[in-house]
Structure formats: C-alpha cells, structure tokens
Amino acid sequence: MARLNPALPNPSTVPFLWSYSAIRPYLVHAGNLVREEQAERRVLMLVNPGRNAAPYTTDTLYAGLQLVMPRETAPAHRHSAFAVRFIIEGQGGFTAVHGRRVAMKPRDVLVTPPWNWHDHGKKGAGEQGGDDEPVIWLDGLDLPEFVHFPVHFNVHYDQARYPAEDVGVDDSPIVFPWEQVEERLAAEPGPWAAVPYLRKNGAEIGRTIGALAERLDANASSPAIQETASSVYHIIEGTGHSVIGETTLHWKKGDTFAVPAWHKYQHFAGGEQVYLYRFHDKPMLKALGFYRVEGADVESFADVW
Ligand code: GTQ
C-alpha cells in the first residue's frame, strides 16, 4: 500500500541540462548522415538520464531538437500527440499545419494541434528568404502520456506535402511571434515576469501542455516553487543558473534543461537580462486533478471532483 500511496511524489527523471554547444554538432552531423525520408522526423531526443529511454525528458514531457536541411521536407503526417515548437535558429523555415503554411522565425513559438496534418520545410539558397544553413527548433510533445494511454497513432499522408496556402503569422492561431511576447514581458512590473502563451480565447495552447516566456533582469531571481508539474526550460537569451532540488545547473543561450515534478526550482540571472522559454504539463495535471503547489493548496471540499 505504501508503494501505491507514497508519502511524496516520486518522479524517476532527474534535473538535467543539455548544453547546446555540446549537442548541436551531433544534430548537424545527423543532418548530413540521415536523409529526411529515412527518418520522417530528424530529431535529437533529449532523453533524461534518470530513465534512459525515450520519450522521457521529464516523466510526462518529451523534448527534442529537430533539424531540417535546406530544400528538405519532413513529410506530412498527423498523430494524436500535441506539439509545441520553439524556433532556435535558421532562416526560411516553414511548417504547414492542415493546409496553412506559416514561417518559422527564430524565437517564435508554433503549435501543432492533435490530428492536424503537418509537414515542415526549409528554403534553400536561391529561394527567397532561404540559405544553406539548417533550421533547428525545440520540440515539446506529450508523448510519455501514451505509455499509459496506449492510443497514440500516426498516419502518413500519401505525398510529402499536404496541399497548403501561405498564411501570415498575424492571421494564424498557431503562431506566437516573439515580438509580441517580448513586449508583454517588458510591460510587466518587477525584476521577474512570466507571460503565458495563450490562445485568443484565453485557453492554454494545448489540453496537455502549456507554455510561458519568462524575463529575469540582471542578477534577479524567480520565486522558488515546488509543484507537481514538471517543465522543460530553454534559454532564449542570457546566462545564469537554476537550483532544482539538490542540483545546480549553470546555463547559457541555447541550453535546455529538465525540471522533474516536486523538485523545488528557482532561477538566478547572471549580470545581464535573461529570457527563458518553458513548456509544462499543468493543463493535463489540472484537468485530472493532480496539480498541487507546496504552500498554496487552495482546494476546498467543493473543488474535489
Ligand atoms: O514534428 O511531428 O520531435 O511526430 C517527435 C515526433 C517531432 C513532429 C518530434 C514527431 C514530431
């Protein structure tokens, strides 16, 4: 019974950081070795050493760095899983989601709702807005959920690209341009601010996954939080460190790190302004009634469903 009703949350993943400068060469190497049609998606999966198996970046979240080479197409498919993508680098990337093609600009966030056809591409040198460099982004998906709910499946479209028309980012509900997020962060008072990515109706971007951007001014720190949610963080800009449970992780631009559930976490900026991107599992925890924050349990009898 103690195993079924433990005294504490017991995630099996650990706080861990993937250094961009250390892993980027492997991803670029994969870009030269593995053709897109061989891989369907060419992704360097960020596998948590506490579990040593994909799809666990945290116990509930999967993250990976995806690379698309110039003039390549990650072929159209659709699946039950939800995806949120933070664009790290590269010009001329695009994604087509259910017939609407949008640009993938560095620092923008794009979502792929469940069961929507999607293919990704990248313009090459000689094409407008293209060049010889790859486009690289951070994928966040709810893949670990499908270990318990074995209902995930993927369907291939019969052509590499699903027919699509170009749509401007301002007319697309799946794109969250960085300029707007940066403006909202600047408008928030105080040395630490967090702004959620929300749909136009105010809802989280996904039923399983939500996302935020955070600003930390030079030498500032975020509040320390212990919660049942787990998160994946990515450094948009700046340097600093985070204390996660007993672990201290030092980070810089491009790095990605995992915060397992119930590990108290706090972020500390170095001597310059920091921007962080974060995706987390709060929407699914809240939907299931599993969300708790240490020291802030406001649940009343009537809320317990
Ligand atoms: O872009 O559809 O990192 O299906 C893993 C699985 C990305 C995607 C991943 C996927 C995708």
Side-chain angles (χ1 to χ4, degrees), residues 41 43 62-64 66 77 79 83 85 118 120 137 139 141 143 154:
R41 293 294 181 267
V43 182
Y62 156 93
Q66 184 163 169
H77 68 188
H79 42 65
R85 315 181 196 277
H118 55 285
H120 317 300
W137 66 85
D139 277 329
L141 283 88
L143 294 174
N154 181 43

Side-chain angles (χ1 to χ4, degrees), residues 82-84 111-114 142 176 197-199 201 203-211 280-285 287:
F82 168 84
V84 57
V111 303
T112 310
D142 49 7
F176 299 85
Y197 294 87
L198 298 174
R199 285 154 51 188
N201 65 4
E204 298 275 6
I205 49 169
R207 287 176 182 232
T208 49
I209 290 180
H280 58 77
D281 58 355
K282 275 194 217 180
M284 63 181 132
L285 291 187

